[in-house]
Amino acid sequence: MPALDEDLFPSTPSKIKIERTHTIMNNRSFHRNCFTPTTTLFLWTLLLILLTASYMTIQTFVDTNNHHHHPIPRHHLIIGGPHWEKKLRSSAQIRRSHGISVLVTGAAGFVGSHVSLALRKRGDGVVGLDNFNDYYDPSLKNARRALLNSHNVFIVEGDINNDHVLTKLFDVVAFTHVMHLAAQAGVRYAMENPHSYVNSNIAGLVTLLEQCKSADPQPAVVWASSSSVYGLNDKAPFSESDRTDRPASLYAATKKAGEAITHTYNHIHGLSITGLRFFTVYGPWGRPDMAYFSFTKDIRQGKPITIFRGKNRVDLARDFTYIDDIVKGCVAALDTSGKSTGSGGKKKGPAPYRIYNLGNTAPVSVPTMVSLLEKYLNKKAKKHVVTMPGNGDVPFTNANISLAQRELGYKPTTDLPTGLKKFVDWYESYYVDDHRKSVSY
């Protein structure tokens, strides 16, 4: 896959204009004496009908979104109609020979937005789906959406647990592939809101797979698992054949469950399934809840940062993987996925089932990462070093990528010093040069 053009992810966010709509409501009052009793009865009946319809609409909205951190504005959930379907078909249109049409879930997210633009760049059809929850600052997701929209990638605002939204998408577009990246991320947040992980990472996955298995033809499915599934494994580097039955966090447990669930749909319904175990993805347009991102913010503002250390004063280490390398692995997985073999949910023969590590193979300690940030920000960090609590984090991650190298042609090319410098440059442009110092994230 060709290298990503820099202008696909501009470092100057002023290039992105987010449209804002304002609803103006006019209040009208009527005097009761102006109406005859018959007219009054008619108006009360009409009012009752309107109130009933409004309640049903609101209740449906609440039932659909009761697991979000905050409900999605109603106007974003309206789907269907000629104009909506026209935008959907335009976004899904394939613009190259032998191209593919991909539904990307979590398209306004970090990895999802990068993958969507990479696919669009080479001429594939891309439709996004995202619920725009507020796990982190939605303004960053909206900026990614504006960037995607500028490249004619349409993101439908809806939840993967919403059967109505998914059915409409599959009715309008015959997707050849699904890139499933929507998930509740973060290891530590699971201790605060465990239900969001079950809702997104398990129930949402099943809802999506149900649509895929019933489609005719069935799409091939590539989805994001996680290096977290290796859990308490202490054998390094981590290989796909290693045991994954000792998760250290609820997040890891939901991803492990996802691997079992996708295997079932492959076995019973003939869905082509590829699971990708990501190792600590970082880079421009990243997630603000990640350590490298929050450290950058706090170091710039002169705030102390908390660095966790393992037992026996061992530094934590991560196999940091730059976003461009992850994108190449995702696209390669789509291109080599093979066809699903079911029709209308009925399996006609065996279909591919694959799992790959996508990492960088070079773990770096957290203190080393902080030193690099200090260098690029030209500012010393106020460090507060503490022993890692029992919150589900693991001491280290290290990927064996030989299988992905052999079968996907996967070869990471960006080391941490290079990737962090690119991130800091983007951060300075997005949050500082564009006068966004007051942005809360």
Side-chain angles (χ1 to χ4, degrees):
M1 174 186 161
L4 293 176
D5 286 344
E6 291 184 1
D7 62 351
L8 286 180
F9 289 91
S11 60
T12 306
S14 58
K15 296 180 183 178
I16 302 168
K17 296 181 179 179
I18 304 173
E19 295 183 359
R20 294 176 173 85
T21 59
H22 299 277
T23 304
I24 300 175
M25 300 181 66
N26 295 320
N27 296 320
R28 298 178 180 177
S29 60
F30 298 87
H31 195 280
R32 72 178 72 182
N33 294 330
C34 294
F35 302 104
T36 65
T38 302
T39 304
T40 303
L41 178 61
F42 169 76
L43 287 174
W44 276 110
T45 304
L46 180 60
L47 179 60
L48 181 60
I49 293 172
L50 290 173
L51 287 173
T52 303
S54 297
Y55 172 79
M56 294 177 65
T57 300
I58 293 172
Q59 188 61 41
T60 300
F61 170 70
V62 171
D63 290 343
T64 301
N65 299 281
N66 61 359
H67 294 288
H68 297 326
H69 303 279
H70 289 294
I72 299 171
R74 181 64 196 169
H75 67 277
H76 286 151
L77 291 176
I78 297 174
I79 67 169
H83 178 66
W84 184 87
E85 292 186 6
K86 182 179 179 181
K87 290 177 67 176
L88 201 63
R89 291 192 177 95
S90 174
S91 188
Q93 183 179 353
I94 300 172
R95 294 170 171 80
R96 69 180 179 100
S97 58
H98 307 295
I100 58 179
S101 182
V102 188
L103 172 64
V104 180
T105 70
F110 176 30
V111 179
S113 58
H114 280 268
V115 171
S116 295
L117 285 177
L119 293 171
R120 169 60 80 213
K121 172 192 170 186
R122 69 177 197 171
D124 293 318
V126 184
V127 172
L129 177 66
D130 203 292
N131 69 2
F132 290 87
N133 69 31
D134 64 351
Y135 170 65
Y136 59 81
D137 180 18
S139 71
L140 186 57
K141 300 178 184 180
N142 285 323
R144 297 189 192 116
R145 168 165 55 182
L147 181 58
L148 288 167
N149 187 60
S150 70
H151 288 81
N152 194 30
V153 175
F154 179 41
I155 299 183
V156 175
E157 189 157 353
D159 195 277
I160 53 173
N161 280 297
N162 190 323
D163 281 318
H164 174 63
V165 173
L166 289 177
T167 299
K168 194 68 178 178
L169 287 171
F170 279 84
D171 283 346
V172 176
V173 178
F175 296 106
T176 61
H177 295 73
V178 170
M179 185 80 217
H180 178 45
L181 298 168
Q184 176 59 62
V187 170
R188 300 170 196 168
Y189 183 64
M191 298 183 71
E192 299 177 33
N193 190 359
H195 296 290
S196 66
Y197 289 79
V198 176
N199 179 61
S200 296
N201 302 357
I202 297 179
L205 175 62
V206 171
T207 303
L208 178 65
L209 292 175
E210 280 292 303
Q211 287 288 336
C212 293
K213 70 127 189 203
S214 300
D216 192 9
Q218 294 175 335
V221 178
V222 178
W223 75 288
S225 183
S226 170
S227 62
S228 295
V229 300
Y230 291 108
L232 301 179
N233 177 45
D234 56 6
K235 171 182 168 291
F238 302 161
S239 299
E240 291 87 349
S241 58
D242 291 345
R243 63 184 298 184
T244 56
D245 58 350
R246 296 182 299 168
S249 66
L250 179 62
Y251 170 72
T254 62
K255 287 299 186 179
K256 174 60 180 176
E259 293 186 355
I261 290 167
T262 54
H263 184 274
T264 301
Y265 276 82
N266 166 265
H267 174 70
I268 296 177
H269 301 296
L271 282 177
S272 170
I273 301 286
T274 303
L276 302 176
R277 293 173 178 170
F278 295 162
F279 282 71
T280 315
V281 189
Y282 74 100
W285 297 91
R287 278 178 26 216
D289 64 309
M290 297 288 285
Y292 74 94
F293 203 121
S294 62
F295 285 173
T296 299
K297 172 194 171 188
D298 290 339
I299 292 172
R300 282 200 75 263
Q301 296 179 356
K303 297 180 180 179
I305 62 173
T306 299
I307 299 176
F308 292 126
R309 177 180 285 170
K311 296 179 180 179
N312 302 319
R313 301 176 65 85
V314 175
D315 290 331
L316 304 188
R318 293 289 181 268
D319 198 343
F320 294 98
T321 313
Y322 190 63
I323 182 61
D324 287 5
D325 292 327
I326 288 291
V327 169
K328 292 173 185 176
C330 290
V331 173
L334 288 167
D335 289 343
T336 61
S337 58
K339 293 184 178 298
S340 294
T341 60
S343 177
K346 296 182 179 179
K347 180 180 176 181
K348 295 182 177 180
Y353 182 83
R354 313 177 301 169
I355 292 179
Y356 299 106
N357 288 337
L358 294 186
N360 197 46
T361 74
V364 177
S365 72
V366 173
T368 299
M369 182 262 286
V370 172
S371 296
L372 288 170
L373 289 176
E374 291 176 319
K375 174 183 175 182
Y376 299 142
L377 294 168
N378 195 27
K379 193 168 184 178
K380 294 296 292 183
K382 299 176 182 178
K383 305 168 189 174
H384 180 50
V385 181
V386 300
T387 301
M388 181 176 66
N391 57 14
D393 270 335
V394 294
F396 71 97
T397 59
N398 185 6
N400 179 335
I401 61 170
S402 58
L403 184 62
Q405 285 177 320
R406 183 167 64 252
E407 298 187 4
L408 301 181
Y410 174 71
K411 184 179 180 181
T413 59
T414 305
D415 60 16
L416 185 63
T418 302
L420 269 187
K421 180 63 168 64
K422 291 182 178 180
F423 167 74
V424 170
D425 289 345
W426 169 82
Y427 183 96
E428 296 280 353
S429 176
Y430 187 84
Y431 286 106
V432 183
D433 296 345
D434 201 49
H435 308 292
R436 292 175 179 244
K437 297 179 182 179
S438 62
V439 172
S440 174
Y441 58 95

